[in-house]
Amino acid sequence: MASGGGRLQGMARNPPVALSALYFLNLRGDVILERQYRDDVDRNMATAFKTEIINGKDRGGSPVVNLGMCSFMYTREENVYVVAVTRANANAMLAFTFMHHLISLFKSYFNKFNENVLKSNFVIIYELLDEVCDHGYPQITSPEVLKSFITQRADRAADDPTATYENQRKAKEVSMQVTGAVQWRSPNLAYKKNEVYLDIVESVSLLMSPKGVVLKASVTGVIEMKTLLSGMPELIIGLNDKVGEEAQANAQTTHGGNHKKSIDLADLQFHQCVNLSKFASEKTISFVPPDGKFDLMKYRVTEGISLPFKVMPLVKELGRTRIQVDVKVRSCFSDKQFATNVKIRIPVPKYTSGATCKVTGGTAKYKSTEEALVWKIKKFQGITELTLSAEVELVSTTTERKPWHKPPLSMDFHVPMFTASGLRVRFLKVWEKSGYQSTKWVRYLCNSGRDTKTGVYEVRCQ
């Protein structure tokens, strides 16, 4: 037992490394940039990766590959492979998290991440690579911290008498920020007007039968924040999610409080600023926010979804040269709300010659490039029903056509101040030791799933 405890203590003192070397390769396998963090691998490892993975039979397979005594962990972003190599028993999840954070860091600096960007900014990239990892152990990857002392602007000249003092002052601030408890926020921020913006943005994906039966539905959401606050404030947010509502119901039991609808959130992902222990104990989101814009939380909902639109399509083939299309769309949100930029795409056969459309709202026409009738509605009021009736003319031919299988119609939309999950902010509190007052803004937005590549809002045609 004693020896086992000693092994566990040794593991705690010496956690597994993430990587020994980092390579950036193009799609041909040529090395764009490389950084060696340990001396147990060399440049030949990049050649092995090119031969066995990029040009070999394992291309597109497992993201973790063992070749000889080395382990390769890689990911691809646009036309660049990011490859972490090690001979040790590495922490694979730590390595992949580090690589994805590194890609996000480069995008924050250069807006894009591709081969041309790496070649054009290799000087500053090598500076970043020196800071983000030490001897195979990831360090600071926060753009807010790194941008405070690694910039794309030229440094002051060495003969500038104020440069030495300024650099010392800046280095002291950065060191305090990096080694402090709040790495993502500078302690000397000051604003004349203190404001907090909170946006709950959701994307709903749907597959519905022609009879209006929901076959599959899900919602992916993100809480986006923008904070313009002085000092080191602490924010507390309460949501009507399941754990938050249960905690509130338990607190109100003695007062006979009414239990409202709660939302069962799944796949929660929090920003590093969130105090997870407080979330586990108090069921509230407590955090010291970064300055500016950031994503506080991501989530997914698969039950109890309120669909913003109900669509009933009817497509009939009238002989060999005509198709009758009838579509009814009803908005299911409040009549005080409006959807914007609504677009409904109704597929038609590729041998369509034209179409005549009649609508009770918006505009509709046949687009040959999309092989569909496209119905656009700029503003769609809640609790409203609009209809489309179209006669589609097909090219006449004497040859036998393949049977046309009716593809589902798809829908794009934006509905402000509406959430398909029903998620709401119960309270948003800002506390700072100076006691200043802050202005808080909370907004909601529901989109179709196409915007986030998580799915589409589709209805099968009858």
Side-chain angles (χ1 to χ4, degrees):
M1 293 295 290
S3 61
R7 285 195 298 270
L8 290 175
Q9 291 176 2
M11 290 177 64
R13 289 193 300 268
N14 300 298
V17 299
L19 67 161
S20 297
L22 192 66
Y23 298 99
F24 298 88
L25 294 84
N26 60 22
L27 299 183
R28 298 185 302 275
D30 301 327
V31 177
I32 307 169
L33 295 170
E34 65 173 306
R35 179 65 170 87
Q36 302 288 136
Y37 292 108
R38 302 169 74 92
D39 58 3
D40 55 352
V41 298
D42 54 33
R43 188 184 176 93
N44 293 334
M45 295 298 101
T47 305
F49 180 83
K50 174 183 178 179
T51 304
E52 299 294 333
I53 306 301
I54 297 181
N55 299 331
K57 61 182 180 180
D58 291 331
R59 183 177 182 178
S62 172
V64 180
V65 178
N66 294 320
L67 298 176
M69 299 296 292
C70 291
S71 297
F72 292 80
M73 296 161 283
Y74 67 96
T75 183
R76 177 180 167 181
E77 181 72 19
E78 292 198 19
N79 58 352
V80 176
Y81 285 101
V82 184
V83 186
V85 187
T86 182
R87 283 182 180 269
N89 184 18
N91 185 332
M93 289 305 299
L94 178 61
F96 280 107
T97 301
F98 172 71
M99 287 189 287
H100 285 293
H101 279 220
L102 196 59
I103 293 171
S104 299
L105 174 64
F106 290 165
K107 287 182 178 180
S108 177
Y109 266 87
F110 316 120
N111 296 325
K112 293 182 179 181
F113 181 85
N114 54 44
E115 182 178 358
N116 292 333
V117 167
L118 295 181
K119 289 180 177 179
S120 302
N121 300 278
F122 70 92
V123 175
I124 191 171
I125 288 175
Y126 272 117
E127 289 188 54
L128 292 170
L129 293 177
D130 287 339
E131 296 295 336
V132 297
C133 190
D134 182 18
H135 200 57
Y137 298 97
Q139 304 296 313
I140 301 299
T141 57
S142 170
E144 293 80 9
V145 175
L146 292 169
K147 283 182 179 180
S148 64
F149 63 97
I150 297 180
T151 67
Q152 293 173 278
R153 298 187 297 272
D155 294 332
R156 292 188 177 186
D159 57 353
D160 187 342
T162 63
T164 302
Y165 172 77
E166 181 66 20
N167 289 340
Q168 290 178 350
R169 183 192 64 80
K170 194 172 184 180
K172 184 177 179 181
E173 290 181 358
V174 170
S175 298
M176 292 177 62
Q177 186 174 351
V178 170
T179 59
V182 184
Q183 302 171 354
W184 50 86
R185 183 177 180 86
S186 173
N188 300 320
L189 296 172
Y191 291 95
K192 291 183 178 180
K193 187 177 181 181
N194 294 283
E195 296 178 299
V196 179
Y197 298 86
L198 187 153
D199 295 337
I200 295 182
V201 182
E202 293 188 343
S203 297
V204 56
S205 297
L206 170 75
L207 179 61
M208 181 181 287
S209 73
K211 301 293 185 180
V213 178
V214 176
L215 304 177
K216 182 173 62 176
S218 65
V219 171
T220 56
V222 58
I223 299 180
E224 300 175 350
M225 295 202 69
K226 180 180 179 182
T227 58
L228 305 173
L229 298 171
S230 305
M232 296 291 285
E234 181 179 3
L235 276 65
I236 303 176
I237 298 175
L239 304 172
N240 65 329
D241 61 306
K242 191 171 185 179
V243 290
E245 285 291 333
E246 286 176 355
Q248 187 184 35
N250 292 336
Q252 294 179 349
T253 300
T254 55
H255 303 283
N258 294 327
H259 182 67
K260 299 179 181 179
K261 178 187 176 182
S262 61
I263 314 301
D264 190 6
L265 302 180
D267 298 339
L268 290 175
Q269 299 178 36
F270 291 105
H271 188 275
Q272 61 175 332
C273 67
V274 175
N275 188 327
L276 297 180
S277 60
K278 280 193 176 181
F279 179 77
S281 60
E282 302 176 11
K283 311 307 180 187
T284 58
I285 304 174
S286 176
F287 58 101
V288 176
D291 185 49
K293 295 181 179 180
F294 65 99
D295 292 343
L296 178 68
M297 185 183 84
K298 296 180 181 179
Y299 60 91
R300 185 170 62 90
V301 177
T302 56
E303 297 179 356
I305 297 173
S306 301
L307 299 177
F309 292 97
K310 187 173 183 180
V311 185
M312 290 185 292
L314 180 61
V315 179
K316 289 183 178 180
E317 296 187 50
L318 306 177
R320 293 172 53 87
T321 60
R322 288 190 305 143
I323 293 178
Q324 180 67 34
V325 178
D326 294 293
V327 179
K328 292 183 181 180
V329 182
R330 180 173 178 81
S331 54
C332 303
F333 43 88
S334 170
D335 58 357
K336 297 180 180 179
Q337 297 172 303
F338 292 86
T340 60
N341 300 324
V342 178
K343 179 181 176 181
I344 304 171
R345 183 180 177 277
I346 306 136
V348 295
K350 62 181 180 180
Y351 40 84
T352 297
S353 61
T356 303
C357 302
K358 295 181 181 180
V359 294
T360 57
T363 60
K365 63 179 180 179
Y366 166 66
K367 285 193 174 183
S368 58
T369 55
E370 298 186 33
E371 296 182 2
L373 304 178
V374 179
W375 184 10
K376 294 183 179 180
I377 307 163
K378 290 184 178 181
K379 200 171 183 180
F380 201 133
Q381 187 177 5
I383 314 299
T384 302
E385 185 175 280
L386 299 179
T387 60
L388 174 145
S389 179
E391 187 172 296
V392 179
E393 297 179 2
L394 308 178
V395 177
S396 58
T397 177
T398 56
T399 60
E400 188 70 20
R401 295 193 184 107
K402 294 182 180 179
W404 179 56
H405 300 286
K406 304 171 185 176
L409 66 80
S410 59
M411 190 172 185
D412 295 331
F413 52 82
H414 302 280
V415 187
M417 303 311 293
F418 174 83
T419 57
S421 68
L423 189 66
R424 287 290 184 270
V425 175
R426 291 192 289 116
F427 59 83
L428 169 58
K429 299 178 182 179
V430 178
W431 179 87
E432 212 276 334
K433 60 183 180 181
S434 63
Y436 60 70
Q437 297 295 317
S438 59
T439 305
K440 311 176 192 73
W441 306 89
V442 178
R443 298 179 297 186
Y444 304 92
L445 177 63
C446 180
N447 301 316
S448 55
R450 189 187 301 271
D451 296 337
T452 57
K453 300 180 181 180
T454 57
V456 289
Y457 203 92
E458 291 185 335
V459 181
R460 291 176 177 173
C461 297
Q462 185 173 352

